[in-house]
Every structure is written in C-alpha cells, then in structure tokens.
Amino acid sequence: MVENYEAALGFIHGRTKFKKSDHLNRMKKFLALLGDPQDNVSAIHVAGTNGKGSTVAFTRDLLQSQGYTVGTFTSPFLVRFNERISVDGKAISDGDLIDLVNQVQPVVADLDAHYPEGGPTEFEIITAMMFLYFKNHVDVAVIEVGIGGLLDSTNVFTPAVSVITTVGFDHMKLLGNTLAEIASQKAGIIKPHVPVVVGKLPDEAMAVVNQTASAHQSPIYRLGKEIQAPIKSEAGWQEKFDFHFRDFNFKGLKISLLGDYQVDNASCALAAFLLYQQQHHQPVVAANVARSLDETVWAGRFEPLHKEPLIVIDGAHNEPAITELTRLLKQRFSDNEIFILFGVLADKQHDKMLSTLRTISNLHIILTTFKGPGTRQVTDPKALAAQYADDDRIEVIDNWQLAIGAVLQRMSAEDLFLITGSLYFISDVRAFFLEP
C-alpha cells in the first residue's frame, strides 16, 4: 500500500523503463488480471512522429464542445506527472493517482513473481492505470501512443478511429532506420475495419500505411486527398483555413497555434472527430466546431510566454519538428532578428537540427545545457558548437538561466526570442517564466 503522492510516484518511476518486447503479451496479461478495462473505453488512438500532442488537444476540445466528458493520455508531461492522465483538460488528482497505484500494485507484484520476463515496465503501469481510470470517468478518450505504435503499451484496444499524424526520423534505435520501417511501426495501430485518418506523410511511409489499411480493410482518409484543408491567410497570431471532408464543408476556420503543420494537426483531429460523431449517430454543430478549434491551446508548442519583447517556447525535440519550425520562422518572422536558445538530449539528431536552424539568415543561436530526465544525457553544447566554429552567429552559455538574461539584455522590443529543443528543457523554462 502506498499512503501518499510521493510514494505513488516513487513506485511508478522505480520501475524499469524498457524490457525485451514479448509482442504485448505481458501488457495483455496485466490488463486481464485487472479485468480488461481497455475493453470498456471508447477511444481515438493517435500515433505519429510529431503532432500527436496538438492533435490530441484539438480532438479533445472538439469532443468536449459537443458535451462529452473526454479523457486524454499524453506524454511526456510539461509541469506535473498527473497531466498524463487528464479529464476535460484537468490532470488527475493526487488522491485518484494513489488509489490507482494501490489497485495495480498487487497485480504488478504477482507478475514480478510469476511472469517469465518479469513484471510490467513504468509505461505499461501508467497505461494500465489510465485504462482503469477512464473506464469509470469518461465518455470518450483520446489516447496518444508512447513510442511507435505496433508494440506500444497503448496498442491493446480497438479504437473508434485511428490517427497517424506524421512519419519522420526519431527513436530510430527502437523503430528502424528507414521511413518505411518507422511507418510500419506507426501503422501497427490500424485495426481491422476501423477508419484511419492520416496526415501528410512522405511517399515511402504512405505506401506502407496504405498497404496496412488495405490488408485490414480499414477505410483510409488522407490529408491532401480525401481530406482537403487549404490555408487561407497568415495574418496575426492565427492560421485560417477551409476544410472539406465527405459531406462536411467548413469555411474560414481559425486556430491560434501557428504553423502550417498545426493546420494539418487540426485537420486530422477534425476528420477523426467527424468520423466518431457519424459512427455514434451524433450531430455536428458547426459553430461549436469553429469555436473549439479557435480556442485550443497546447502548452510548449510555439507558445508565447511574453509579448514585448516576444518570448516563445517550442518543444521541437527532433529533426522533423525543427524543419517545420524553421519553415514557420522563415514565413512569419523574416523581418525580425531571431535569438534562439537551444538545448537538446544527446540521443537526438542535434547536428542535423542545428544545421537546419542555421539556414535562417536573421539568426543568433545560443547553445546551452539543462538537467536531463533520469540518466539520459544532454548534448554537450561546446562539442556541438565546435562543429560550427566558423559561424559567428553561434555561441555557448552553459547555464540556461544566465543565457536567458544575456539574450534579454541584447534584444530589442521588435526581436523574437525562441527557446527550443527538448520538451524536458521547455518544461523547466516554462516553470521559470510562469511560476510565481
């Protein structure tokens, strides 16, 4: 029995992170011993290299706008662990978290003692707790895949709709070194006869997803084909677009998350929501759809923390995300001087990320470090800077708080200060600015 919040977190975080995969058999056994709660959760399942979090947020708000109580399962958390299991955007309470740990603990002990490969991992335990909680507390859940899809701990239920937002290079040690290999992992969430919504994928990845959907006789709806979302304007802190899908036509939809890729995420969310409503023979109120998309926010994704001077954080923690971020900066901030504070984990493609950022002309980059999660290493900023010794726009300030102070002294009111890289870094920076 755990008696307090610290002990509950200690139990969760004390578990091993990874174990040799046994094709989800351990996860299924774990859930069976808990009464298979996943079979009593109506849900939308979201996979993808990037865009999962924003897509989950848009989908949650769309469902909420129609009166549903909506659970979301996301990772990692930005401020507090409890955010990972949320209802209507509010994190699970400490008391409910303690109750869930006490529910799963005896089953974990049993598996530790008797299951051939040992008991469940940290993420398997959090996933099981989520299913247990959502079974009794929500009408519908939006469940984000942890890593990949095929062998992810969440991939143990039949969703109402599957969503694959993007496929790019990340977590290659686990998912494979080609886009086709990575796509086959993401496509692992496609279930027989369950519709799948797909964002803009490279041809190599799309071929795999098409093939998987066809093999499962799953209707597939692709952004740019069956789903059309032309962007109308890029003025002010918003994106504006039209949306056409099946019998639905929406004109002049607006979102407050910047970037063409956020229009893609919102469009995937809207298509998934419309499919869900049709399946459940529920009406769609156009005014609620428009309002909900306009009001969606997702912390840490090109999020302004201060207006004058403009200070923005963005958890662009891999190379595909940095590519999209760079495109956004060139589109919307070409007339501004841009100061970028960059800190990233060592297991990411940091050299490629930095070389992409360097294509922005009006740029000053400060490389820094931060405390990584657990035993994960952070990229050495001095070693990274040494690769670009001939670029005088790049400098190193090890202490990120001092780096923020240095940039604020140098920049003018018209400049942009962007702090980006690891989501763990962004979490620390957000707390630094927003906590009293």
Side-chain angles (χ1 to χ4, degrees):
M1 284 281 289
V2 300
E3 310 234 328
N4 57 45
Y5 180 72
E6 289 68 31
L9 281 192
F11 168 73
I12 294 166
H13 295 323
R15 302 296 299 186
T16 180
K17 300 284 188 281
F18 290 104
K19 268 190 183 158
K20 183 174 165 232
S21 164
D22 62 355
H23 302 285
L24 294 177
N25 292 335
R26 179 180 54 239
M27 186 67 197
K28 288 173 182 170
K29 174 72 173 172
F30 183 21
L31 288 166
L33 292 170
L34 291 166
D36 283 319
Q38 77 282 5
D39 294 343
N40 292 295
V41 176
S42 174
I44 293 169
H45 204 189
V46 182
T49 303
N50 291 312
K52 294 190 295 290
S54 302
T55 302
V56 167
F58 283 122
T59 309
R60 174 200 65 204
D61 289 356
L62 284 162
L63 290 163
Q64 269 189 254
S65 78
Q66 306 294 314
Y68 294 106
T69 299
V70 188
T72 49
F73 184 59
T74 54
S75 57
F77 60 92
L78 205 59
V79 179
R80 226 168 160 255
F81 175 85
N82 304 41
E83 295 164 29
R84 296 182 71 161
I85 301 171
S86 294
V87 175
D88 289 349
K90 293 184 183 64
I92 186 174
S93 71
D94 293 357
D96 283 345
L97 194 75
I98 293 164
D99 289 345
L100 287 169
V101 167
N102 284 324
Q103 252 182 289
V104 302
Q105 215 173 24
V107 179
V108 171
D110 182 29
L111 289 167
D112 281 345
H114 300 115
Y115 198 76
E117 280 86 24
T121 63
E122 177 182 11
F123 188 68
E124 287 168 348
I125 287 170
I126 300 165
T127 304
M129 287 166 49
M130 172 270 292
F131 282 125
L132 278 172
Y133 193 69
F134 286 168
K135 178 182 131 180
N136 298 318
H137 289 87
V138 305
D139 300 318
V140 54
V142 189
I143 295 173
E144 179 187 324
V145 166
I147 292 175
L150 181 65
L151 296 175
D152 187 72
S153 308
T154 62
N155 197 30
V156 288
F157 72 105
T158 301
V161 185
S162 305
V163 182
I164 301 171
T165 56
T166 58
V167 172
F169 290 109
D170 198 12
H171 300 295
M172 278 94 80
K173 282 183 185 164
L174 295 169
L175 304 182
N177 291 311
T178 68
L179 287 175
E181 286 174 330
I182 294 168
S184 71
Q185 292 293 320
K186 309 285 184 200
I189 71 163
I190 297 173
K191 300 295 189 300
H193 310 290
V194 172
V196 56
V197 172
V198 185
K200 291 177 181 167
L201 306 192
D203 292 345
E204 192 184 341
M206 187 61 94
V208 173
V209 172
N210 279 332
Q211 193 178 359
T212 308
S214 175
H216 286 305
Q217 297 182 304
S218 304
I220 185 167
Y221 304 102
R222 297 158 294 188
L223 190 54
K225 295 247 172 78
E226 294 81 6
I227 305 163
Q228 293 289 332
I231 295 174
K232 305 303 286 181
S233 70
E234 42 183 57
W237 203 277
Q238 66 173 22
E239 301 291 352
K240 194 172 178 184
F241 64 104
D242 293 341
F243 179 90
H244 314 288
F245 173 54
R246 298 176 105 179
D247 299 333
F248 295 100
N249 287 292
F250 295 95
K251 296 280 188 192
L253 294 173
K254 290 185 289 212
I255 57 172
S256 62
L257 296 178
L258 286 195
D260 293 358
Y261 54 96
Q262 293 293 12
V263 173
D264 294 349
N265 295 335
S267 301
C268 285
L270 182 49
F273 160 74
L274 294 170
L275 287 166
Y276 187 88
Q277 288 296 85
Q278 283 194 323
Q279 274 180 28
H280 291 80
H281 309 291
Q282 293 298 314
V284 172
V285 182
N288 291 354
V289 166
R291 186 176 67 251
S292 132
L293 290 173
D294 192 23
E295 290 175 355
T296 295
V297 294
W298 187 235
R301 305 322 192 272
F302 215 79
E303 179 187 12
L305 299 182
H306 196 274
K307 288 289 168 66
E308 288 185 6
L310 183 55
I311 303 169
V312 174
I313 57 173
D314 191 278
H317 60 289
N318 54 33
E319 213 255 326
I322 285 288
T323 300
E324 293 290 359
L325 179 63
T326 299
R327 184 180 298 144
L328 170 62
L329 292 171
K330 288 176 176 175
Q331 273 180 347
R332 304 290 277 265
F333 297 94
S334 57
D335 296 335
N336 307 68
E337 285 296 307
I338 300 172
F339 291 84
I340 294 183
L341 181 61
F342 182 68
V344 69
L345 292 170
D347 58 5
K348 300 294 181 178
Q349 296 177 296
H350 37 78
D351 44 354
K352 285 189 178 175
M353 294 165 81
L354 187 55
S355 63
T356 300
L357 287 172
R358 287 175 69 234
T359 63
I360 301 167
S361 55
N362 46 324
L363 186 73
H364 313 273
I365 299 179
I366 298 94
L367 303 178
T368 193
T369 188
F370 60 99
K371 188 178 183 320
T375 57
R376 292 178 73 181
Q377 297 295 306
V378 174
T379 298
D380 177 0
K382 293 188 179 68
L384 185 56
Q387 297 176 41
Y388 303 98
D390 58 340
D391 190 339
D392 59 8
R393 300 174 304 163
I394 296 174
E395 63 179 297
V396 174
I397 302 178
D398 278 327
N399 181 307
W400 62 263
Q401 290 101 328
L402 292 179
I404 287 171
V407 171
L408 290 174
Q409 285 184 324
R410 283 182 226 170
M411 69 185 292
S412 74
E414 289 76 45
D415 300 339
L416 166 64
F417 182 14
L418 172 65
I419 304 167
T420 190
S422 167
L423 283 163
Y424 299 99
F425 175 41
I426 296 311
S427 172
D428 290 346
V429 171
R430 196 170 187 275
F432 174 77
F433 275 96
L434 298 183
E435 285 182 5

